[in-house]
Amino acid sequence: MKEEFLEIRDLKKSFGEGEAKQEVLRGMDFTVKKGEFCVLLGPSGSGKSTLLNIIGGIDTPDSGYVSINGDKLEEMNESQLTMYRRKHLGYVFQMYNLIPNLNVKENIEVGAYLSDNPLDVEEVLTTLGLQDHKYKYPNQLSGGQQQRVSIGRAVVKNPDILMCDEPTGALDYKTSKEILALIEDCNKKYGNTVIMVTHNEAIKNMADHVIKLRDGVVRHNDINENKITAAELEW
Amino acid sequence: MKNPLIKRIPKELKSDWHKYFVIVVFMVVMIGVISGMYVGHDSMLAAVYGGRETLNLEDGSFELNKKASAELLDAISTGKKADVRQYYIDKGIEEADKEVAKAIDEKLNESVTEAITENVKAACEAYGITDEDQIKEQVDEALKENLESALKEARETDEFKQAEKDAYKEAHDKVVEEVDKEWDEAVKKYDLDNPGFASVKTVIYENFYRNESEEYGDGSEEATVRVFKSDSKVDKASFNEGRAPETENEIAIDRMHASNVGIEIGDAIKVGGKEFEVVGLLSYVNYLTLHESNTDLMFDAFGFDVAMVTPGGFDRLTARIHYNYAFKYVNAPEDKVEKADNSENFLKALITQTLVYDNEIEDYLPEYIRQASNFAVSDIEGDSAGAAILCYILIGVIAFIFAVTISNTIDKEASVIGTLRASGYSKGELIRHYMSMPVIVTFVGAIAGNVLGYTAFKDLAVNLYYESYSLPTCHTVWSNTALVKTTVIPLVLMFFINLIVIVKKLQLSPLRFLRHDLVKNKRAKARRLPKWAFLRRFRLRILFQNIPNYVILIFGVIFIELMMCFAFGLPDSLDHYAKEAPGMMFAPYQYMLMGSEDDDGNVITTGEKTAERFDAKNLIYPKKKSTFREGMGSGGDESVTAYGIGNDSDYISLESRTGAGKVYVSSAFAKKFGLKKGNSITLNEEYENKSYTFEVAGQVDYEGGIAVFMDIAGFKEVFEKEEDDFSGYFSRNEITDIDDKYIATVITKDDIIKVTNQLNHSMGGIINIFRYALIVLTAALIYLLAKIIIERNEQSISMAKILGFKNGEIGSLYIIPTAIVVTLFAFISFVIGYYLMIWIFHVFMLQMNGYFAFFMSIPSMILSVLYLLIGYAFVSILDFIRIRRIPMDVALKNVE
C-alpha cells in the first residue's frame, strides 16, 4: 500500500475584488500517494493550473493548506519554498521555456545542477531519445523535441513530484503520445509522483489516480483500476 | 557541479560581440586614459615631492626694499615681534630731541645776542656815540668776539640746565602721549595684541635675483628672465639636460621656456644685453610653472623665464637687484593649518622687525600659496580628478545601458526565468547570473585599461605635463589611486547600478514571470491618440512604449552635448579672449611706477601728451570657501586692484563721482562673484589687518581683470594718500622720458593674452583629438542605446514582417521615433549642456585668480549639434540594417 504523500485540504483561491471577484478554487480536498500518476482533469477555468501552481509553491491559497510529506507549504518562507521546489519538484509546461542560447544537453544540466542526487544526464538524453540532438539549440528542434528537453530538465533532478501543466497542449496527436509515454516511463523507472494537469479526457486512462475538477471543486476523485499504457491511448 | 547557466555567458558574449566590443573598447580607452593620468601624475608627484626635499624648497619668501642688515635678519629669524611701541617712542624722541635742541639753540642764541647788543648799545650811549653805523659795527665786533664764550657761559648756568631738562622732558612726555594716543590704531594695523601669536623660528637664506630682458633667436624675440645665482642654498634647480653654469658667460634656463621658444643647449642668448651661452635646461623647485607674479591668472612659459648664472655672471648684469630672502621653519609644520598659522605669525614678526630696522617689505609669499610651486601639482590633481569624474559618468551611462539591456533580456526570458524559479533556482542564483556579464566586461575593460595605463597612456600623460609645466624628470611609480579609481570604483559602480536594476526586476514571483506579467503598475486604460494616419499612431505607440529607454538616451545625449560644449567652447573661449584682449586694456600702455618720486625727491613727470596719472593699490577680496581645490595661491583669496581715476579721464569713465564709500567694479569682477549695484563688498589689505567696505555703484566694462574703480579724491581719502602720490600712467603712446629704473611694469596686450597663449599651447592638440573622439563616443553611445530599442522590439518587428510590412515601413516605424527624440533632444541637450558648461567654467574660474568667461561661437554651437546628428545618422543606417536582418521566425518561436 502506497503512503499518503501529498495532502490538499479545503483549498480556496480567488482573483480580483468586488464584482470582478472570481473564485477559482472553492474548497478543494484530496490526497495523492507517493509514486502515483495523478491526472487533474477539467475544462478551462476549472482551477487546475491554479491548483498546480499552489502545489508547486509558486502561488499561495487564500485559505486551506497543501502539505507534502507532512510539511505545510503555508508555513514556509520564500527561501524555504525555493528549497522545496529545488529538492522536490520538477516542472514541465505547455510552453517549453527552454533557454535559447544553451544547447539540449546544457538545458538538461540546468535541472541536474539543482539536485543533490541528479540522474545521469547522458542516460536521460538516451531515455528521451535526444542523444542525436544533444548539441542542438532549442530553435533547431521541433515542438515535440523541445518538450522532451523540458521533460529531461525536470526529470534529471530526480524530483519527488513531477508537475506537468498541459505538457501536450501544443503538440500533435503522435508527438503527444510519445511525450506521455516518456512521462510514464520516467514515473515507472524513477518512481516520481506525477501530477499532470490536462483537459484531454483520454489521458485519464493512463493514470493511477484521476481527479476531475469543475468550477473550483473536486467533482470526482477516482482510483483507476483499469490503467492502460500511453501507447494504447486513443483520442 | 558548476552552474550550467555559466555556459550562457561566453555564448552571449559571442552572439552579441559587436555590442560588447564597443563597450569594452570604450572602457579600455576611458580607463586606460584615466589610469595613465593617475600613474603619470603619481610618478610626477613623486618626482616633485622628492625634489622638494633634495632641492631645499623654501617655506616662504619675502622681498625687502633694500638689503637687510645682519641684525635685521637675526631679528626676523627669531620669529619674535619687535617692540613697536618702543620703536615709535625712540623714533619720536629722536625727532623731538632734534627739534628741542634746535629750538633751545635758537632761543639761547637770540637771548645772548640780545644781551650783548644791549650792552654794546649802552656802552656807546655812555660814550656818546650816536652814529647808527658805528653802533652796528661795535655790536658786530662784540658779537664776533664774545658770542661763543657768552653762549658757553650761559649753558653752564643752573638756570639754563634746568630749563633744558624741562624742555626735553616736556617733549618726551608729549611723544609718549602722542604714541599712546595713536597706539590703538597701530595695534590694530599690525595686529599686535593677538593672543594667538607664537614666535616661529626660521632659517633665512639670501636668494637675490634680477629681472632682465632676454633676447633669443635673431634678437627680435624678447622675454623677461629672472636670474638667480648658482650658489644659492635654497630653492635649487634640477637639470633635465646639460649642467649648471661654471663661468660667468654661461647660463642655464628653464626647460619649458627653452622648448616653447626654441632655445637649445649651446645657443647664445642675450640677457640684459650681455651674451651668455646656454649650458643647461633646468627646473627650479620653486618655479614648476613660470608664474612671474603670484597674482597672475596663468603662468607664461613664453614671455617669462627663470635662469641660473654664476655669482660672477650675476655681477655682469645691471638691472636692479630684488632683495629676496627665502626662509625655512626650524620646526617643519605638519599640515596646511599649521603652515597657515606659522605663516601668519612669521609675517607679524617680519612686518614689525622690518619696521623697526627701517626697511620695507616689497613682497611676502608663503610657499603653500605660491602658485609657481603649487599650481602644477594642483592642476595635475585637478586634471585627473576631473577626468575621473568624467570616467565615472561614462561608466554610469554604460552601467545603465547594461542594466536596460539586461532588463530587456529579463523581459524576453520571462517564461524561462519563471520556469527556473519554479524548478527551484533561487533569486540569488539568477541575480548572480545576470550580474556576471557587466562585471566581467568591466573587469576585462579595467585590466586591459590598466595595462595600457601603465604603458602607452602613462607616457601620454607625462608628456602632456611636460608640455605644460617645468617639471623635473620622473620615473614610473605604482599608483594605488589609479587602481582604486580606475578598477575598484568602476567595478563597484557597475556592480551596484546593475544590482539595483536586476534585483528590482527579479522581485516578481515565478508565476508572474511565467505569465509574462511583468509590469508593476498597469495602466487602467490605453492612452488615447488623435485620429491620425495609422502609421503615425503606430509610431507614437512605439515612442510611448520606449519612454524609459529614451530617458536613458536623453541622458546620454546631454552628456555628449556637455562634452561637445567643452571641446568647442574651450578653444572658442580662448580665441575670444585673445581677440577681445586689446579692448580689455585701459590704454595701449599702462605704466606702473616704483614710486611717484625720483631719487632726488622730485615727482616723476612725462612730456607724453596722452599720459594720464592714475592711482592703484592691491587689495584682497575674501572668497567664499566653497571651492573644492585648495593649495594654490588662488585657493584662498582673490587679488583685486583698486584704481583711483582722474575726474575727466580719457581712459576710464565713471558714471558719477564715487567719493570714499563707493566703487565701480570691473565687469569681470561682477560676473565672477555675482556682484550687483548696491551690494556691499569688503576688501582687505594684503599685509595689514585692515579692511575697507564699499558699496558697489555700478560696473565698468572691463574684462581684463578683477578690479574696482574710484575717483581720485575718494581713493586718496580712503587709502590716506598724499596729494602728489600716484601709481602710474595710462598712455596711448609709449613713454620714453621716464627712466626704466622708476618703472615697475608696463602692461600691454601681450600680458593679457598670455593666459590664452599658454592654455592654447598646453591643450590645443588634445582638444582636436578630443573632438574626434567625441564623435566616435557619440556614435557608440547612440549605437548602444538605439540597439536596445530595436532589440526590445525584435518580436514586434518580426511580427510586422509576417503581417506584410515592408522593411522601409518598419524602418520608418522604429527609426523615426528615435530620430525625432534624438534630434529634438540634440537641441535641448545642447542648451542644457551649454548652460551646464557655463556653470562648470565659472566654478573652475572661482578657483583661479582673475576671470574669463565661457564663450561659444555660433558655428561651434551648430557644429556641436551637427556632430551628434552625424553620429546618429550612421547609427540609423546600422539600425536599418539590423531591422532588415531580423528574421520572421522570431515571432513564431515561442521560446524566444
Side-chain angles (χ1 to χ4, degrees), chain B residues 424-688:
Chain B
Y425 270 87
S426 66
K427 222 184 286 173
E429 278 166 326
L430 293 177
I431 289 169
R432 280 196 290 281
H433 171 66
Y434 286 107
M435 283 295 294
S436 49
M437 194 63 83
V439 171
I440 289 170
V441 169
T442 314
F443 198 69
V444 170
I447 297 287
N450 268 297
V451 170
L452 282 178
Y454 273 89
T455 52
F457 289 128
K458 176 229 150 191
D459 294 336
L460 209 76
V462 166
N463 285 337
L464 181 62
Y465 298 144
Y466 277 132
E467 280 294 299
S468 312
Y469 310 125
S470 309
L471 294 161
T473 315
C474 80
H475 306 283
T476 308
V477 296
W478 170 260
S479 167
N480 289 326
T481 331
L483 186 75
V484 171
K485 298 209 167 176
T486 62
T487 309
V488 179
I489 293 180
L491 271 173
V492 168
L493 260 179
M494 197 62 133
F495 185 82
F496 281 103
I497 290 176
N498 280 287
L499 187 71
I500 291 164
V501 173
I502 293 171
V503 165
K504 206 166 162 242
K505 199 81 192 173
L506 289 176
Q507 261 333 308
L508 300 175
S509 69
L511 198 58
R512 288 184 66 179
F513 277 109
L514 283 167
R515 288 177 181 153
H516 280 266
D517 176 15
L518 303 177
V519 186
K520 284 220 168 125
N521 304 314
K522 283 177 211 163
R523 218 180 291 110
K525 282 180 191 167
R527 207 180 261 111
R528 280 231 168 155
L529 295 181
K531 284 183 181 167
W532 289 344
F534 168 69
L535 279 183
R536 215 170 177 199
R537 274 179 290 141
F538 197 167
R539 226 172 266 143
L540 210 56
R541 292 266 178 232
I542 291 169
L543 201 129
F544 288 141
Q545 177 205 350
N546 287 296
I547 283 174
N549 296 325
Y550 286 132
V551 169
I552 293 181
L553 181 76
I554 289 162
F555 270 108
V557 170
I558 291 175
F559 177 74
I560 291 164
E561 280 304 331
L562 177 67
M563 294 292 92
M564 290 282 188
C565 286
F566 175 74
F568 282 101
L570 186 63
D572 273 10
S573 304
L574 297 178
D575 289 349
H576 180 71
Y577 190 86
K579 215 186 287 172
E580 297 287 308
M584 290 175 197
M585 300 286 300
F586 298 120
Y589 294 90
Q590 184 180 338
Y591 292 87
M592 295 293 295
L593 301 180
M594 297 294 294
S596 50
E597 289 176 359
D598 61 18
D599 290 346
D600 303 328
N602 300 318
V603 173
I604 295 170
T605 53
T606 174
E608 171 57 43
K609 289 215 170 57
T610 61
E612 176 186 308
R613 284 181 185 181
F614 67 88
D615 266 311
K617 186 174 176 59
N618 280 333
L619 296 167
I620 294 287
Y621 179 70
K623 281 183 194 173
K624 281 187 193 126
K625 300 287 181 198
S626 59
T627 51
F628 51 81
R629 202 162 75 179
E630 291 175 63
M632 32 194 275
S634 47
D637 296 324
E638 183 79 34
S639 177
V640 180
T641 312
Y643 286 97
I645 304 298
N647 289 338
D648 299 309
S649 171
D650 287 336
Y651 299 99
I652 300 164
S653 59
L654 306 180
E655 278 170 33
S656 59
R657 299 277 172 89
T658 59
K662 289 184 180 177
V663 288
Y664 283 86
V665 295
S666 69
S667 48
F669 193 5
K671 279 183 201 160
K672 183 165 180 178
F673 295 100
L675 299 177
K676 290 197 175 64
K677 191 175 174 176
N679 284 164
S680 162
I681 54 169
T682 299
L683 303 175
N684 302 330
E685 285 275 1
E686 256 178 309
Y687 305 123
E688 283 171 33

Side-chain angles (χ1 to χ4, degrees), chain A residues 71-121:
Chain A
D71 296 328
K72 286 188 182 167
L73 298 194
E74 62 172 359
E75 289 166 2
M76 296 182 188
N77 61 26
E78 211 196 312
S79 61
Q80 286 170 322
L81 277 172
T82 301
M83 286 317 285
Y84 157 71
R85 292 197 297 267
R86 195 173 182 120
K87 300 298 166 208
H88 301 293
L89 300 187
Y91 256 107
V92 178
F93 292 98
Q94 179 178 356
M95 292 308 171
Y96 332 113
N97 300 344
L98 299 176
I99 300 176
N101 54 2
L102 291 185
N103 64 28
V104 167
K105 190 180 168 197
E106 288 162 349
N107 264 290
I108 291 176
E109 282 173 347
V110 168
Y113 166 75
L114 294 172
S115 176
D116 292 337
N117 55 336
L119 305 178
D120 182 54
V121 175

